[in-house]
Amino acid sequence: MPFLGQDWRSPGWSWRKTEHGWKRMVYFGHELEDNNREISLKELCSDNNDHLFVGDVCELNTAKRKKDFYNNNTKFQFVFRDKWIYVQKGSTKERHGYCTLGEALNRLDFSSAIQDVRRFNYVAKLFQLIARSQLPSLSGAAQKNYFNILEKIVRKVLEDHYNPRLVKELLQDLNSTLHSLTLHVGRCVLVGNVNIWLCRLETIVKWQQELNDLEIPKQIYSGMSFSDLPLHMHNKILCNLSDAFDIINLGQATPTLQVLSENGTLWKKLCLFHFSDKLFCRNLVINKNDNVDWKLMYYSLLKHYPMKEQYGDTLHFCKHCSILFWKDFGHPCTASDPDSCLMPVSPQHFIDLFMF
């Protein structure tokens, strides 16, 4: 058969033998309509064949437009059987290429991770770091996947009222980054049409408005409430909180909690938890009684050092296999002692794994 492919690098067209001769098949498997005109050998070899492939090209363009419309409007996420990814930073004889951040977003199951309370804060923090510095490095498919998962994060907060402050910070950073990239840096930095990014920017503003208008309904219980607990239980709960904003917000609930939230011992434990490995003796804040004001001490240290990150569950990296995975899913490890090769991966470390 003569070579009738659209591109000299392509394998050519697919053909099927029928009673009336050979008929061409389209790439996605549908047979051409019967009313398509047949191409004779004489017509093919003639010099006047400029109009020969006009109908076929139009037909393929129509199919391409339908496919592009589906790809641009669908929110389908690529589903992979394996919930782990091999982190390759260079080419070897056995393996060529390298792993990208966008590929990791597509391969690792972040859509299911946000439904788990232990992993929600981890994914939200990771998406916040990507919004701050890594948006230009994402491919078109990774961008679509990123915003699809981000929409699920916002919907979960609106439905379950879980940690809205963290998601508000994420959207604020994303809004600031897109404003900077689309208005000040230039449209060539981001992959895709600038109008698409402007539409995404409008969507982010709408999400921010929905979160600002969020009102958590008051729960009515007939049994024992939080205020009925004894004081030592209230103090125990406050000591288990690792975020200063949570302590301050809880202190605004009742006058008793207000007094407990100002306890110096509580803020001292908070400073030691977040900054125990830092040299902060020079930053001691002394009050009039020559005692350390640990609340002011905490906010002084916060200006110089980041808080210690704490998550219920994180991604893990196997140093033996160079595989990134969720610990619950596991990975095909070949080490004799797999547990000794595991290393928890923080959100910033996740970003650093794909910095080349």
Side-chain angles (χ1 to χ4, degrees), residues 77-78 105 108-116 123 127 145 148-149 152 326:
Q77 182 186 2
F78 298 102
L105 286 180
L108 298 173
D109 193 12
F110 287 108
S111 294
S112 299
I114 61 176
Q115 304 302 326
D116 192 339
V123 177
F127 273 48
N145 193 19
N148 289 342
I149 298 175
K152 294 180 180 179
W326 292 105

Side-chain angles (χ1 to χ4, degrees), residues 3 21 33 62 71 77 90 120 141 152 162 165 187 210 225 231 246-247 249 267 292 311 314 318 348:
F3 183 81
E33 299 292 337
T62 302
N71 290 335
Q77 182 186 2
F120 181 86
K152 294 180 180 179
Y162 182 76
R165 181 170 55 85
R187 63 183 63 183
E210 291 178 354
S225 63
L231 291 179
D246 294 336
I247 295 176
N249 291 333
W267 289 95
V292 178
Y311 304 102
T314 64
C318 180
Q348 184 59 53

Side-chain angles (χ1 to χ4, degrees), residues 179-239:
H179 264 105
S180 176
L181 293 178
T182 55
L183 300 180
H184 302 292
V185 178
R187 63 183 63 183
C188 61
V189 178
L190 296 171
V191 177
N193 194 307
V194 67
N195 295 325
I196 296 178
W197 286 101
L198 292 177
C199 292
R200 289 171 176 170
L201 190 58
E202 294 177 358
T203 304
I204 293 170
V205 174
K206 184 185 71 173
W207 288 342
Q208 288 179 312
Q209 186 63 37
E210 291 178 354
L211 291 178
N212 291 332
D213 297 338
L214 178 64
E215 294 183 0
I216 300 178
K218 185 177 180 180
Q219 303 293 333
I220 300 176
Y221 296 102
S222 58
M224 180 180 292
S225 63
F226 179 79
S227 58
D228 297 330
L229 296 175
L231 291 179
H232 72 276
M233 293 296 296
H234 288 172
N235 193 38
K236 188 73 172 179
I237 293 173
L238 285 170
C239 290

Side-chain angles (χ1 to χ4, degrees), residues 145-160:
N145 193 19
Y146 177 88
F147 281 93
N148 289 342
I149 298 175
L150 183 59
E151 182 180 2
K152 294 180 180 179
I153 292 176
V154 175
R155 294 307 167 199
K156 179 176 177 58
V157 174
L158 293 175
E159 294 173 2
D160 301 341

Side-chain angles (χ1 to χ4, degrees), residues 74-88:
T74 184
K75 293 184 179 179
F76 173 78
Q77 182 186 2
F78 298 102
V79 178
F80 295 89
R81 180 178 301 176
D82 299 325
K83 305 302 181 182
W84 50 266
I85 185 169
Y86 179 79
V87 181
Q88 176 72 14

Side-chain angles (χ1 to χ4, degrees), residues 20 46 72 122 129 133 149 175 182 218 222 235 252 306 336:
H20 306 288
S46 64
N72 290 331
Y122 181 87
L129 294 178
S133 60
I149 298 175
N175 193 347
T182 55
K218 185 177 180 180
S222 58
N235 193 38
Q252 297 174 355
S336 57

